[in-house]
Amino acid sequence: MNPTRLLLVIPCYNEESILYLTYSKLNSYYNSIKEQGLIAQNSRICLVNDGSRDKTWDIIEELCERDADIIGVSLSRNFGHQSAIMAGLEHNIDDFDCFITIDADLQDDINAITGMIEKHGQGAMVVYGVRGDRSSDSWFKRFSAEGFYILMQKMGVPVIFNHADFRLMDRRVLKELGNFKEINLFLRGIVPLVGFRNDKVVYNRLEREAGETKYPLSKMLLFAWNGITSFSTFPMRLVLYFGLFNFLVAMAIVVYILFSYLVGYTVPGWTSTMLPLTFFSGSNMMALGLIGEYIGKIYEEVKGRPRYIIEKIVNE
């Protein structure tokens, strides 16, 4: 059996401070697993520039000139992490047997790639890189991250616990993934929907050696919200439950008003007028805002705009 032709896809956004180090580590590791016969000699690495504002693309072009096994893909602007991953995957779909996606900061341990390749050889079509230890995280980071996965699962989103975007996919899986045409990509939920035999590789996440995280708390919250609204209608159901609660509160107020009228205690008051008015108007605005969020997603999807536009490719 011939060794697997592997493509490693790495989305890059403002990664000039770490990209040389990333290349050095990956190049050394790639050469070692090629020598071991785990992957074919024509396996390559694809660096996708997601509209970086720094010198990331200049560095990618330099690396491509230095190493013919590096493919450089530059998007015309910043389309987002998930779209950058799909650009690197879809553009090279016919040239490789399997694909691994990993972030440029290499906090995901590259040594776990060996286990992924082995499990792929044993028949797994998708292999998820799963973080096994969060002891290095702060209490807030650990609580928020684990809470994110629990919340997503409770809302019916098929995410893998403690799995981000470090995964191996067979070409067959990637071709089926291409049938999912939504603009609001959330690959952590879409890939499990594709199905096929899957497995996991557990690893310990490493410290970032240079640069700054591209996912501060605000972006993580936005990412989580996008995942929930792209996969689950549970928030809409919450609006229904909230409306039912409001109705019961309104009925209680009506009973109170009628009782007050019957016993002759009918002194008008500003508080009894303003409290229900504020409560119900606020809850109605919140419900309309949530409905608008879903309508906005429908609006984005029906326009059918491309998920990404490739401006330039080096070493294709």
Side-chain angles (χ1 to χ4, degrees), residues 5-7 42-44 71 91-99 171 316:
R5 293 175 300 166
L6 173 67
L7 179 70
N42 57 349
S43 298
R44 302 178 75 183
I71 302 171
H91 187 75
N92 298 284
I93 190 171
D94 295 322
D95 300 323
F96 299 90
D97 301 315
C98 65
F99 305 78
R171 179 168 57 189
E316 186 173 9

Side-chain angles (χ1 to χ4, degrees), residues 67-95:
D67 188 345
D69 286 337
I70 302 296
I71 302 171
V73 175
S74 183
L75 305 186
S76 61
R77 63 172 177 84
N78 177 244
F79 285 88
H81 180 267
Q82 305 288 279
S83 294
I85 288 176
M86 287 304 297
L89 292 172
E90 291 183 322
H91 187 75
N92 298 284
I93 190 171
D94 295 322
D95 300 323

Side-chain angles (χ1 to χ4, degrees), residues 184-253:
N184 294 284
L185 282 171
F186 186 69
L187 292 175
R188 300 183 196 186
I190 296 177
V191 174
L193 282 180
V194 179
F196 295 102
R197 179 179 171 184
N198 63 80
D199 209 330
K200 300 176 183 177
V201 170
V202 179
Y203 68 96
N204 291 329
R205 191 166 169 84
L206 308 174
E207 294 291 333
R208 187 181 179 98
E209 295 190 39
E212 298 179 352
T213 178
K214 303 305 181 293
Y215 271 91
L217 179 61
S218 58
K219 280 195 173 182
M220 283 300 297
L221 292 174
L222 184 61
F223 184 67
W225 179 247
N226 181 57
I228 291 171
T229 54
S230 294
F231 274 85
S232 176
T233 58
F234 184 75
M236 298 283 282
R237 199 172 299 120
L238 282 179
V239 172
L240 175 63
Y241 297 154
F242 193 57
L244 178 61
F245 171 75
N246 284 351
F247 175 77
L248 294 175
V249 172
M251 290 300 98
I253 293 174

